[in-house]
């Protein structure tokens, strides 16, 4: 699907979603089932044909070369389909958090989970990213059975107050909330699965040919068709976060993200890497230093280990926010 076609379809469907949300969701649900229906129909067809050939062999009590070749071809086809369907998703990486080392954070997660009637997390991981995210890792590939991960970035927690960070958590958990959230989460997983399957089929060679033709059309079309729902779900998650922690507090967090994110990537880590080029030993305790950059008052309690006297200039923060506000919303 070309970019112009994608954007045209998305614009039309955003209008449909606004006028008839329930009807739009129904259509997406039916479209999602088409992918599973095609896969099951293909498998049932191949297995049925294998059964027919085996039945003929049993009835005639003999097998000729043609029947053996057909049976081999059908068996290879069925195996290829099953093998192609085993979509590989990488498990998230990070430092596991527990009640022994992160009790206040996990208490906050529990409180938000209860308020949103969201499923529990099997794992909460600490990462080095300036981000927070919810990941559902399917044990059974396209057939689901999710393991729920919550990823929390240490730099993001350092940049925001506990109340502001709770707003970010509320947004992420809002994607798994009861009602519309569960449907939206399912559609998000289905979309990710079909796109991953399409990428995987491109590396399968001849064995993926039975599925590639269909999913080369279907996966991009489903991605475009469900785009409006996924964007709608982001707005609803924002609304939920504002309701749970307060709109002003959540707005403050959103405004700090571009400013602090720009500082972390373009100032702080660049300074760290530059020091690595100039001195033989690595900078000690860079994340402790990062905390002091966001909160100078934390400097004394940090033990003075490898601290960098770099703080976020107000004029740079204002400029980063202005640039973020000028950014036009696209379809990426």
């Amino acid at each position: 699907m070309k970019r112009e076609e994608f954007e045209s379809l998305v614009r039309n469907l955003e209008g449909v979603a606004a006028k008839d949300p329930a009807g739009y969701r129904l259509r997406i649900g039916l479209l999602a089932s088409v992918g599973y229906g095609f896969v099951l129909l293909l498998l049932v067809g191949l297995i049925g044909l294998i059964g027919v050939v085996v039945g003929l062999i049993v009835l005639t009590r003999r097998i000729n070369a043609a029947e053996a070749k057909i049976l081999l071809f059908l068996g290879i086809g069925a195996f290829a389909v099953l093998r192609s369907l085993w979509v590989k998703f990488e498990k998230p990486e990070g430092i596991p958090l527990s009640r022994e080392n992160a009790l206040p954070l996990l208490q906050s997660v529990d409180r938000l989970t209860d308020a949103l009637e969201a499923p529990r997390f099997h794992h909460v991981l600490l990462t080095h990213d300036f981000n927070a995210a919810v990941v559902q890792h399917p044990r059974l590939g396209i057939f689901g059975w999710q393991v729920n991960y919550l990823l929390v970035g240490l730099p993001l927690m350092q940049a925001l107050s506990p109340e502001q960070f709770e707003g970010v958590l509320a947004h992420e958990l809002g994607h798994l909330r009861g009602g519309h959230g569960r449907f939206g989460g399912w559609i998000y997983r289905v979309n990710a699965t079909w796109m991953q399957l399409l990428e995987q089929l491109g590396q399968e060679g001849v064995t993926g040919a039975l599925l590639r033709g269909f999913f080369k059309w279907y996966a991009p079309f489903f991605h475009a068709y469900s785009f409006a729902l996924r964007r709608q779900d982001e707005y609803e998650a924002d609304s939920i976060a504002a309701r749970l922690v307060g709109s002003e507090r959540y707005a403050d967090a959103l405004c700090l993200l571009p400013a602090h994110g720009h500082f972390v990537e373009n100032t702080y880590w660049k300074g760290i890497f530059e020091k690595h080029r100039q001195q033989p030993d690595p900078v000690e305790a860079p994340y402790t230093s990062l905390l002091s950059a966001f909160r100078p008052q934390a400097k004394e309690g940090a033990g003075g280990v490898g601290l960098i006297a770099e703080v976020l200039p107000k004029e740079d923060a204002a400029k980063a926010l202005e640039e973020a506000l000028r950014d036009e919303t696209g379809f990426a």
Side-chain angles (χ1 to χ4, degrees):
M1 181 180 288
K2 293 180 181 177
R3 181 179 174 181
E4 296 77 16
E5 294 173 322
F6 177 87
E7 293 186 0
S8 176
L9 180 59
V10 168
R11 286 193 186 94
N12 290 335
L13 289 169
E14 283 185 325
V16 172
K19 291 177 184 175
D20 184 15
Y24 173 61
R25 287 173 184 271
L26 176 62
R27 286 157 67 177
I28 290 180
L30 292 173
L31 184 61
S33 66
V34 168
Y36 288 103
F38 173 80
V39 169
L40 292 174
L41 188 63
L42 187 58
L43 277 175
V44 169
L46 288 169
I47 293 169
L49 288 172
I50 290 172
V52 169
V53 175
V54 170
L56 288 172
I57 292 170
V58 171
L59 285 173
T60 58
R61 296 185 180 180
R62 65 183 178 80
I63 179 169
N64 57 41
E67 289 170 335
K69 287 179 181 178
I70 292 172
L71 201 57
L72 181 63
F73 175 78
L74 292 172
I76 291 173
F79 176 76
V81 171
L82 287 170
R83 181 171 170 248
S84 299
L85 290 176
W86 196 253
V87 181
K88 299 166 190 170
F89 287 92
E90 296 296 327
K91 288 184 180 180
E93 294 184 354
I95 299 172
L97 297 181
S98 65
R99 295 189 180 278
E100 286 70 38
N101 59 19
L103 181 60
L105 172 66
L106 296 186
Q107 286 176 331
S108 179
V109 170
D110 287 343
R111 187 167 61 254
L112 292 170
T113 299
D114 291 338
L116 295 170
E117 298 179 3
R120 298 281 168 185
F121 288 100
H122 301 95
H123 305 282
V124 179
L125 303 179
L126 186 70
T127 75
H128 63 271
D129 299 319
F130 189 80
N131 194 20
V134 166
V135 175
Q136 292 190 298
H137 186 272
R139 296 182 180 100
L140 299 179
I142 72 166
F143 300 107
W145 193 24
Q146 313 300 327
V147 179
N148 298 323
Y149 289 84
L150 175 63
L151 310 182
V152 291
L154 178 58
L156 183 62
M157 285 195 285
Q158 292 173 320
L160 303 178
S161 71
E163 295 79 15
Q164 290 166 346
F165 186 72
E166 191 167 273
V168 174
L169 284 181
H171 171 96
E172 295 302 328
L173 269 68
H175 290 303
L176 301 182
R177 68 196 182 279
H180 284 179
R182 285 187 186 146
F183 179 78
W186 175 61
I187 293 299
Y188 186 92
R189 291 194 304 272
V190 169
N191 178 66
T193 300
W194 296 145
M195 296 304 289
Q196 179 75 11
L197 177 59
L198 180 62
E199 182 181 341
Q200 193 168 301
L201 289 172
Q203 303 165 2
E204 285 289 332
V206 178
T207 58
L210 287 167
L211 290 168
R212 193 184 301 117
F214 173 77
F215 279 101
K216 194 174 180 181
W217 162 79
Y218 176 76
F221 182 75
F222 185 82
H223 178 69
Y225 206 93
S226 61
F227 185 92
L229 175 69
R230 287 180 282 121
R231 172 171 282 179
Q232 199 175 58
D233 194 59
E234 290 291 341
Y235 286 134
E236 288 183 17
D238 275 337
S239 178
I240 285 167
R243 175 169 54 83
L244 288 178
V245 304
S247 57
E248 188 173 341
R249 184 176 290 162
Y250 185 56
D252 285 345
L254 291 179
C255 290
L256 284 172
L257 292 180
H260 286 339
H262 185 271
F263 168 74
V264 169
E265 295 300 324
N266 296 288
T267 301
Y268 184 77
W269 287 118
K270 276 189 178 179
I272 293 286
F273 297 145
E274 186 59 36
K275 284 182 181 291
H276 286 176
R277 283 190 286 270
Q278 295 172 1
Q279 61 190 39
D281 298 321
V283 173
E284 193 175 348
Y287 287 98
T288 303
S289 303
L290 181 57
L291 178 61
S292 72
F294 288 126
R295 302 178 197 176
Q297 68 272 20
K299 203 168 184 176
E300 293 179 8
V305 183
L307 290 174
I308 296 174
E310 184 77 71
V311 294
L312 176 62
K314 288 184 179 179
E315 58 273 16
D316 288 356
K319 185 179 177 182
L321 178 58
E322 285 173 14
E323 289 177 0
L325 291 171
R326 280 199 301 268
D327 234 357
E328 276 194 42
T329 302
F331 296 99

